Amino acid sequence: MSSEYIALASDRILVTGSNGFIGTRVVEILLGYGYRNIRCFVRPSSRLDRLEKVLSQFDAGKDVALVTGDLLSPTDCRKAAEGVSVIYHLAAGMEKSFAGAFMNSALATRNLMDAFLRFAKPKRFVNVSSFAVYSNLALKRGALLDENCPLEDAPQERFDAYGFGKLKQEELVKEYGEVHNLPYVILRPGYVFGPGKRELNGRVGTSAFGLFVQVSGTQSLPLTYVDNCAEAIVLAGFKAGIDSEILNVVDDELLTGQQFLKAYKDKTKSFISVRIPYVVGYTMSLLWEKYCQRSKNQLPPAFNRRRCSAEWKGNRYSNQKLKERLGWKPRVPMERAMEAFLSQFTSNGNDDPLKR
Amino acid sequence: MLKIAIVGCGKVADQHVAAIHRIPECEIVSVCDWEPLMAKQLGQRFGIAGCFSDLKEMLEAVSPDIVHITTPPRSHYSLAKQCLESGSHVYLEKPFTVTASETESLIQLAQRRGLKITAGHNYLFTLEMLEMRRLVEKGFLGGRPIHLESYWSYDLGDLRYASAFLGNRNHWVRQLPGQLFHNIISHGIGKLAEFLDDELTEIIATAHQSEQLRSLGAQEVLDELRVMIRDNRGTTAFFCFSTQIRGLNQLRVYGPSGSVTADIITGSLVRNKSRSYKSYLTYFVPPLKSAHEYFRNARVNVANFLTRRLYQDFGMKELIERFYNSVRTGSPLPIPYREIILTARIMDEIFVQIYPGRSEMPEIGHQESGQAATVAVSSVA
Ligand SMILES: NC(=O)c1ccc[n+]([C@@H]2O[C@H](COP(=O)([O-])OP(=O)(O)OC[C@H]3O[C@@H](n4cnc5c(N)ncnc54)[C@H](OP(=O)(O)O)[C@@H]3O)[C@@H](O)[C@H]2O)c1
């Protein structure tokens, strides 16, 4: 291991959310790099088929320890963190309720950081955050959205429980960095796609009243293929000299919403969608938002200007910092990534996003 | 201006905040959760200044008029007791308490202290339930109810929630005597309690595990429940809880000359007058009348939507508002205590029958399953 790296192959590594969409790939890449001392944290109720398949592909897979528990329990966090040097923290609250998302993103992270500081020798805490923390309200269409973009200051208005959880999670991580000297790195992936994730992201379009509506479509999507994203996450655990850094994760050769949806529809042949210009989407979001306010949320404020802006306004994205600081480059080029993503769908019409 | 506090800042608390915000002359002054971060996240999102992690401290600092308790059921009894003892009225989420004896003891405490307490049976106050109550009071049934049916279907489809408690024996739902049922059926049982006499002569409960649940690997959790109840006046009731039936959430009340069905899912109240028609008209007129009845419901719902009377959680807002009014003016409580107690007693008996050995034996008489159990409910109210 060169001085470029902070961790040794023998260091114990913890991966939370290890059975998840990205987590399994992180474990796979760690095993691929020859790390053997890996601890995977899962919940008693977690589905393990994906993770077990990955472990079975490597000889060292049998050395991987599965630790069962819930990060909401400090005792379980101790079981997870005891003796580890690096934590890849991918577990997150995907609930629709704000309290639920907060618990599994922010509270769980606080518990884990406490245990890491108390019962381990922390070298690096890799916190996997998300683009959902940004607010591009003040950015012009097409302007560059990088790590300096302002953060969302009204997640409640944006009606984004997940984003709220991630924002609060980041706040806590930064606080622990400052107050308790937690050595952390925050990664903010964009739209992570790949086999294992069948749903279309809201940035591509949204189901409204039984119709799949694409707003704008000309905007590029902050895509990152799951293997490329997992590679960035893994590197962030080992690279020296990046403490307290925040890094966006997006691939090269980004596609527009329209291109992405067309490829999806060509493969699945499953549904009809309509495309509306951004101004129309924005105006409808504004009207919806106003109606919700006037009617005291008779309708859920699912459409609003903040969300419209964040998902459909369209910005340019950069992975320059990621490349410079981590020496990362995408393992899989976009064309192959799309092939792999689409390979999970059949063309028998069963993949209509409206039916999910 | 009533000073309101909320204890327990999880998912349900958000619903309470939204409902309270629709009610005039009250203000949420503080929130409390044993986990300070949970209290803070709720307080921050709704601009509530008082965030506490110790109930005693909160009660002393803000002396709330009313405390909403939205914590997991096992803590209900002790938290409600603490609030009543310090002089606050209490809105206690469902299930009211874990056992009927705790229910009775809380109600007695409230009465001794001259305070009020209610249970979060908010589905008793949806628009169609209000309409049903009005019709029954007007005599639409043509006499006292002869038979009741309450259906509650529960979709396990969202396995994120289900797998959390199915895969984890320590999950709070699994710790309840009635497990999955315990956390949900009080809504459906509470609707029956309204029309049943306190003296029940028979409760026969039977439950099993569905194929779907078996495939998820939770051995001892049952998810299909049927209950037959008879009171001393001969009114019978049937309760059905199912995870297999989808989208069925109804109360049906049958009287000598008319019946009503309140359907929570479609927000409709279907009236049916027993009448006979000559010859073949019996095949033509009643279906047309039914069609008209459904059409009327659609019209009413559209009108209620446009006038903003129809919204999610109307029932909760209505129950809370009625409870606040009762506190303010001394008018009767929205849910009589006898109904809260009867609901708890029926639940106790059901759990003893379907999970023998799991729950503490409640005080009501219990015999071998299949035989009649005599249930005497003392009237506290
Ligand atoms: N997918 C994307 O497009 C995207 C984009 C940007 C950032 N991210 C971030 O990337 C990370 C992984 O996302 P993903 O797409 O792989 O999500 P995922 O498949 O839903 O995985 C989330 C994981 O978190 C676990 N988890 C949740 N609450 C937990 C708790 N209290 N204790 C222990 N484990 C808990 C889940 O366990 P169970 O399996 O038991 O539920 C699951 O393994 C997340 O932090 C997410 O915010 C994802």
Side-chain angles (χ1 to χ4, degrees), chain A residues 45 110 156 168 296 298, chain B residues 22 35 45 163 305 310:
Chain A
S45 54
R110 193 269 325 258
Q156 183 89 12
K168 293 291 158 189
K296 297 196 173 154
Q298 184 182 32
Chain B
R22 286 176 173 271
E35 168 54 65
R45 282 188 292 122
S163 59
F305 178 79
L310 178 66

Side-chain angles (χ1 to χ4, degrees), chain A residues 43-45 94-95 97-100 102-103 106-107 110-111 156 164 168 172 291 294-299, chain B residues 9-11 14 21-22 35 37-38 41 44-46 160 163-164 167-168 304-306 308-312:
Chain A
R43 288 197 277 195
S45 54
M94 306 291 177
E95 286 82 356
S97 75
F98 278 78
F102 179 85
M103 272 198 271
L107 211 54
R110 193 269 325 258
N111 291 346
Q156 183 89 12
F164 172 69
K168 293 291 158 189
L172 283 164
Y291 182 78
R294 286 207 9 228
S295 68
K296 297 196 173 154
N297 289 347
Q298 184 182 32
L299 300 172
Chain B
C9 300
K11 296 169 207 173
D14 269 48
H21 279 168
R22 286 176 173 271
E35 168 54 65
L37 286 183
M38 286 309 288
Q41 62 83 25
Q44 268 183 358
R45 282 188 292 122
F46 292 101
R160 259 183 204 280
S163 59
N168 183 0
N304 280 335
F305 178 79
L306 294 177
R308 297 190 192 147
R309 238 169 90 73
L310 178 66
Y311 51 83
Q312 280 277 312

Side-chain angles (χ1 to χ4, degrees), chain A residues 19 21-22 43 46 70-71 90-92 104 129 162 166 190 192:
Chain A
N19 64 311
F21 169 53
I22 308 174
R43 288 197 277 195
S46 294
D70 193 314
L71 296 176
L90 288 96
N104 289 315
S129 180
Y162 166 75
K166 299 305 276 185
V192 187

Side-chain angles (χ1 to χ4, degrees), chain B residues 245-320:
Chain B
I245 304 171
R246 297 281 154 86
L248 180 65
N249 201 321
Q250 293 185 342
L251 173 69
R252 299 180 191 168
V253 184
Y254 301 86
S257 65
S259 66
V260 283
T261 300
D263 187 324
I264 301 240
I265 291 179
T266 61
S268 37
L269 192 270
V270 179
R271 302 166 301 183
N272 187 21
K273 268 281 176 208
S274 329
R275 235 200 95 172
S276 55
Y277 292 89
K278 281 219 164 21
S279 181
Y280 279 91
L281 283 181
T282 193
Y283 297 113
F284 310 145
V285 179
L288 282 173
K289 285 193 134 192
S290 294
H292 176 262
E293 186 63 6
Y294 282 100
F295 185 75
R296 183 189 65 86
N297 271 290
R299 218 183 50 219
V300 168
N301 286 350
V302 170
N304 280 335
F305 178 79
L306 294 177
T307 53
R308 297 190 192 147
R309 238 169 90 73
L310 178 66
Y311 51 83
Q312 280 277 312
D313 293 331
F314 171 88
M316 180 181 280
K317 178 250 153 195
E318 194 64 18
L319 169 57
I320 296 176

Side-chain angles (χ1 to χ4, degrees), chain A residues 126-344:
Chain A
V126 180
N127 190 65
V128 180
S129 180
S130 164
F131 257 46
V133 298
Y134 289 124
S135 168
N136 64 347
L137 215 54
L139 297 188
K140 289 218 162 59
R141 282 188 86 180
L144 179 72
L145 185 158
D146 62 10
E147 289 82 356
N148 300 315
C149 176
L151 300 185
E152 180 55 77
D153 56 2
Q156 183 89 12
E157 267 173 49
R158 179 149 140 195
F159 197 55
D160 181 9
Y162 166 75
F164 172 69
K166 299 305 276 185
L167 270 167
K168 293 291 158 189
Q169 177 191 51
E170 275 202 13
E171 268 176 31
L172 283 164
V173 171
K174 289 174 197 162
E175 182 191 316
Y176 269 64
E178 271 166 36
V179 180
H180 305 291
N181 295 321
L182 175 81
Y184 74 87
V185 172
I186 291 176
L187 290 192
R188 292 178 184 151
Y191 169 7
V192 187
F193 73 107
K197 190 86 176 170
R198 298 172 71 87
E199 304 85 36
L200 291 181
N201 188 288
R203 290 174 188 268
V204 180
T206 184
S207 304
F209 304 109
L211 208 62
F212 190 80
V213 182
Q214 181 164 58
V215 182
S216 176
T218 58
Q219 80 283 26
S220 30
L221 301 174
L223 292 168
T224 170
Y225 182 63
V226 62
D227 288 4
N228 299 337
C229 176
E231 167 95 2
I233 294 171
V234 168
L235 290 174
F238 298 134
K239 271 278 172 179
I242 54 166
D243 276 341
S244 313
E245 288 287 2
I246 295 175
L247 304 164
N248 284 352
V249 185
V250 289
D251 285 0
D252 296 333
E253 317 161 90
L254 300 180
L255 303 179
T256 63
Q258 211 171 327
Q259 289 166 331
F260 194 89
L261 185 61
K262 182 172 182 313
Y264 179 87
K265 282 171 67 172
D266 284 351
K267 174 71 198 234
T268 62
K269 301 202 176 18
S270 60
F271 67 101
I272 298 170
S273 61
V274 290
R275 194 163 65 239
I276 57 173
Y278 181 70
V279 276
V280 176
Y282 187 84
T283 310
M284 285 164 74
S285 299
L286 170 70
L287 293 175
W288 187 285
E289 185 182 324
K290 291 287 167 208
Y291 182 78
C292 291
Q293 278 165 6
R294 286 207 9 228
S295 68
K296 297 196 173 154
N297 289 347
Q298 184 182 32
L299 300 172
F303 302 100
N304 55 70
R305 282 170 293 173
R306 286 174 182 273
R307 175 183 172 199
C308 177
S309 177
E311 296 195 341
W312 305 312
K313 186 192 243 176
N315 291 100
R316 285 177 297 116
Y317 309 103
S318 158
N319 52 24
Q320 198 186 338
K321 189 171 174 191
L322 187 72
K323 285 178 170 167
E324 282 172 12
R325 305 311 304 267
L326 293 189
W328 169 90
K329 58 181 191 313
R331 286 181 162 218
V332 185
M334 188 53 73
E335 202 181 323
R336 271 192 26 232
M338 281 304 280
E339 272 169 29
F341 167 63
L342 295 172
S343 69
Q344 67 183 325

